[in-house]
Each structure stands twice: as structure tokens, then as C-alpha cells.
Amino acid sequence: MDFNTAEEMLALCKKENKPISEIMRLREIIYGEDDAQTVDARMRKSLGIMRNSVHKPLNEIVRSMGGMIGGEAAKLEKRRAEGKSICGNVLTKALIYSQAVLEMNASMGVIVAAPTAGSAGVVPSVLFALEEEFDLSEDELVKGLFTAGAIGCLLMKNASVSGAEAGCQAEIGSAAAMAAAAAVEMMGGTPEQCLDAAAITIGNMLGLVCDPIAGLVEMPCQSRNAAGASNALTSAEMALAGIKSAVPFSEMSDAMYRVGKGLPAELRETALGGCAATPTGCEYKCKIFGGCK
Amino acid sequence: MAFISVFEVIGPNMVGPSSSHTAGAASIARLAWKMTHEKIKSVKFTLYGSFAQTYKGHGTDRALLGGMMGFETDDERIRDSFEIAEKEGIEFSFVANTIETEVHPNTVDMEIEDVTGRKLTVRGESIGGGKVRLTRINGVKVLFTGEYHSLIVIHRDHPGVISKVTSNLGECHVNIAYLRVYRETKGGIAYMIIESDEEITQEIVDKIERNPFVKDTMLIKK
């Protein structure tokens, strides 16, 4: 039941006639440390933590450790509640929730890294936006998490989910690919469509650099989570409409890894390039850590 | 290829903001906490590399202190660990060492003293995604991750000690997954790190401690 590539995973889905989520769940039960009951309970617990992290910052605004973010989710929610949002309910909610998780994270609240802490807003934001707008059950959301996990696992094995190794495309890009596949499966798509959505997402985020201001998981990480969530929903919509990715998932994941390896060190989480190296970025750093003239 | 659990992708559950600087820091300190027998009286953390540069913005200090009180990576009390430690009467301090650069970027030394006066120094490294390893115990280079049920035996470097300890384990049906030995000097203090799939019971530890060459043991449950 284990797989190393998207092709092997797809073959298992066909052979067992099961969705990606179930293949991933069975794989965990067979090869992981926990029995079926514990595996399901752990995933439910993760979903519960995610649920808290998308909602709590809406009511309880806390400034981040570095002081760069806090209150963005509430601002978006206020606009949505007033009926002014230009993005429609699913996307707007995904944006709100993605911001909330990063606020939670940056203020030392509890989150679920998915696949990393800096990209933790993408997967839950897409899941809970769809849950509310399409009346999905908790079971369907848990399945979504297994599907997201399968895509993340493939990317961990064959590419990277580390900003320090392959840039933001490997963090937010991977999280968005995971969320896209989860969205497709939850909305009734096939395993092939899940992989198409994931591949389109990675393709659309290729080259994104990791350039955190002051080296902190605040900005531009927070708004990139919103970009990741909207990319995920865009690609899911395309895949569900039957649009295929021109480049298959495994080739796209290789491309992402090669692009990542080609990024200069300044753009791989060292806080020496991109947003971090702008005059404003440097000013933030001085304010937070001192030591400047 | 090593098995990657779905919970390594969807996880860890953690107090933010950084898996390496916050969750990893808590895990390192919690491992050191598990190695202590008694309540901790004082702890001094020396931070290196990126830990030294950015620990305040990442809450690395709060996470380390929380881990030193046994808090797991997703324990909300980490945020208030300074206040909690003060209430518990634990003395703590943080020193940023920005001169030493020949270390892993996320390294911390922990000098711990328990209420009985027993001292322990541990170096830990946060190697990404919340994964950690301990690389020094009391100044001796070791390698230890805490991913298994583990037993650290501190003993005199003397013929037959290792085989005696392993046979003690075998008699109790404990299968050794990994066994690593380190020593300060020939005939001096040596460290044996045993990692096992099965839980190692206190009964086995008592048996091992009867060996006159064994100075101390640390039983670390997974």
C-alpha cells in the first residue's frame, strides 16, 4: 500500500478502487505506528486544532511576536459581513481563515503545521471555507486531510517542503497543491483530477522565493497564505471542470525542486533578499532585534 | 526510502511560529527534561547560530523553558512559560553566543541542575520541521533523537560492561534497535545509548545499575 510516486499512488487508487484519502489512510495504518482507531482519532484531533485556529483570531486579536501582523482576518471578516467582498463567499472565507491561522501561529497559539508552520493557513482555510459553503461533513474534511497528506508526502519524498531548501514555492506552493487536491476530492473529483489540480497549483507558484522580513514567520508569509489558498481554489475549479495539467504532477514536482535548488541562498529563508532586503524590511528588522545604527 | 507518516505532513501540532525555532526548541528541552530524575532547580540556556540571532521573535526562549518543564510542542502554556517557571521557583537564564560559528545553525546548550545538586549538560540541535537531535551529554559527543524508548547508561570504560548490559536487556526480551557507545577517555567515563522498540522497564534498569561499573542511568520513555 506504500507509494513513492504519483503514478504508483494512482495505480493503487485504481487497483483498490479507492480515493487517494483512503489509500493514504490505509498506508498509515499498515506501515505507521498507530492502529486504525488511533490514526482516525489523531486526524480528527488535528482537524479540531485547525478549526480553532481559523476562528479564534477573529474574536481575539493578538499582535504577533514580531509585531508585524495581527487583526488582518478580522478586517477581512468585517468587510465580508457587510456584504462588500468582491471575491465571493468561498474565496473570501478562505482568505479570512488563511490570515487567521498565521496570526495564531505568529502569536504563539497552537496550529497544525501543514506541511510547515509558515504555510499552515492554506489547507485549513480551503477545507473550512468549503465545509461552510457546501455543508460538508467532518468525515469529508478528515478525508480531505488524508488527501492533502498524500500530496505533501509525495512532495517531501520527491521534491521539498522546506523554504530554506527550495523557497516559498516549496512551502506555500506545496501547501496549496495539498489543499487543491483535497478540495477536488471533497467536491467529488477523481484521483486523476486531484493530481491535475495539485500540478496546476505548483506550476502557478513556481519560482516563489522565501524572503521573511527579519527572518520571522510573519510577512510576507501571512499574505502568501492567502495567495496559496486562492491558487488552490482556482486550480481545483479548473481540474473539476476537466482541465488537465499540461505537465503531469511528478514532472511538475521535479521542476519545482530544480527551480528551488537554482534559487540563490538570499532567496531561501535567509532573510537576505526579496522583501527582507528592502529598506522597509531592514527597518522592521532593526526595530524588532535592534543592533542598528 | 524511509516511511513518511501522514502526521509528519499534517503536523506537528505545535505552538507557533516556527517548527525549527519553536517546536524544535521545545522538543530539545523536553528530551533533556526527561533525562533528569528530580525537579529542576536551575537551567542556563546558551544559544548559537540562528537561535542566538532570532530567539526572541520566534519565542525560542519560551519554548525551551516550557520544554524544560515537560511541556509538549502543542502545549499552550509555552507562551507563559517564564511566568510559570518563576512560580515554580525554577531559575533560568539565556545567553546568546554569536561568536562560536562552528555549530549547527539552531543549537542550544543546556546546563541543568536539579534540587539534589545533580548537574547535567546537554547540547541539542533543531534540524528542521520540528525534528531534533541531542549531540552532547556532559561535553561528550553523542547522537540521540528520542524517537525510540531509550536508555542512557553512564559507566566506566571497562571490558565486559557493554555485553553485561545488553544481556540484561536480552534476558528481559528487549530487542535493541540501535546501540551506540561513546567515551571521554580510554578507561574513563563512557556513555552507552540504547534505543529499543519495546519499553524498557525500571526493573531492567535496576538490574543494570547493580553492575559496579555503571555510574548512572537515564531512562527516556518515547
Side-chain angles (χ1 to χ4, degrees), chain A residues 262-278:
Chain A
L263 290 173
E266 289 76 19
L267 302 173
R268 284 185 281 114
E269 213 181 310
T270 52
L272 296 170
C275 293
T278 59

Side-chain angles (χ1 to χ4, degrees), chain A residues 27-28 31 39 42 45-46 49 65 105 107-115 117 152 156-157 178 215-217, chain B residues 1 3-17 53-54 56-59 62 74 76 78-79 222:
Chain A
R27 172 187 173 275
E28 187 68 29
Y31 304 106
V39 166
R42 280 183 76 179
K45 187 186 172 199
S46 301
I49 295 172
M65 297 288 290
N105 184 56
S107 60
M108 296 195 83
V110 182
I111 57 100
V112 181
M156 269 180 165
K157 283 187 177 191
M178 289 159 61
L216 298 179
V217 192
Chain B
M1 206 178 288
F3 177 77
I4 297 173
S5 162
V6 71
F7 298 109
E8 289 175 58
V9 188
I10 308 294
N13 303 339
M14 54 170 275
V15 166
Q53 300 287 349
T54 68
K56 278 183 185 154
H58 282 124
R62 288 164 193 273
D74 63 347
E76 276 184 314
I78 283 177
R79 193 159 37 184
K222 194 162 70 172

Side-chain angles (χ1 to χ4, degrees), chain B residues 100-163:
Chain B
E100 174 67 55
T101 51
E102 293 296 305
V103 288
H104 181 279
N106 293 327
T107 296
V108 58
D109 281 336
M110 295 163 282
E111 292 166 54
I112 306 158
E113 186 177 344
D114 72 18
V115 287
T116 67
R118 185 171 166 271
K119 287 179 183 168
L120 173 71
T121 309
V122 182
R123 168 171 290 185
E125 299 172 358
S126 178
I127 55 175
K131 286 191 177 292
V132 302
R133 61 187 178 207
L134 299 188
T135 54
R136 273 188 204 182
I137 298 173
N138 295 335
V140 177
K141 279 188 189 168
V142 298
L143 183 63
F144 174 63
T145 64
E147 284 171 20
Y148 296 84
H149 296 291
S150 313
L151 178 67
I152 299 174
V153 181
I154 305 175
H155 59 96
R156 258 265 313 278
D157 182 34
H158 189 270
V161 179
I162 294 168
S163 72

Side-chain angles (χ1 to χ4, degrees), chain B residues 77-91:
Chain B
R77 289 177 297 174
I78 283 177
R79 193 159 37 184
D80 305 316
S81 62
F82 283 20
E83 294 76 8
I84 296 168
E86 272 162 21
K87 222 175 273 174
E88 298 270 319
I90 299 170
E91 296 164 33

Side-chain angles (χ1 to χ4, degrees), chain A residues 12 25-26 45-46 84 97 101 107-108 126 137-138 140 148 175 185 220 239 247 257 259 265 289:
Chain A
L12 279 170
R25 179 176 168 272
L26 292 174
K45 187 186 172 199
S46 301
K84 290 183 186 163
Y97 295 155
V101 176
S107 60
M108 296 195 83
V126 169
S137 68
E138 184 167 296
E140 284 168 302
E185 189 181 307
V247 178
Y257 191 56
V259 168
F289 293 117

Side-chain angles (χ1 to χ4, degrees), chain A residues 239-291:
Chain A
L240 285 164
I243 297 171
K244 292 197 154 306
S245 174
V247 178
F249 177 85
S250 33
E251 288 180 37
M252 199 62 101
S253 121
D254 289 347
M256 183 265 271
Y257 191 56
R258 279 197 301 273
V259 168
K261 284 289 179 188
L263 290 173
E266 289 76 19
L267 302 173
R268 284 185 281 114
E269 213 181 310
T270 52
L272 296 170
C275 293
T278 59
T280 304
C282 296
E283 226 171 88
Y284 270 118
K285 189 185 166 198
C286 290
K287 252 189 253 167
I288 297 165
F289 293 117

Side-chain angles (χ1 to χ4, degrees), chain A residues 78-149:
Chain A
K78 180 169 176 283
R79 205 174 137 76
R80 189 197 68 83
E82 288 166 357
K84 290 183 186 163
S85 164
I86 59 171
C87 288
N89 258 343
V90 173
L91 181 52
T92 304
K93 282 189 175 174
L95 299 183
I96 294 167
Y97 295 155
S98 68
Q99 301 308 283
V101 176
L102 264 274
E103 287 172 48
M104 192 76 167
N105 184 56
S107 60
M108 296 195 83
V110 182
I111 57 100
V112 181
T116 61
S119 62
V122 179
V123 170
S125 70
V126 169
L127 257 57
F128 292 115
L130 291 173
E131 177 197 40
E132 288 174 26
E133 292 304 307
F134 293 93
D135 279 330
L136 301 179
S137 68
E138 184 167 296
D139 282 348
E140 284 168 302
L141 263 63
V142 168
K143 284 180 193 165
L145 284 182
F146 278 107
T147 305

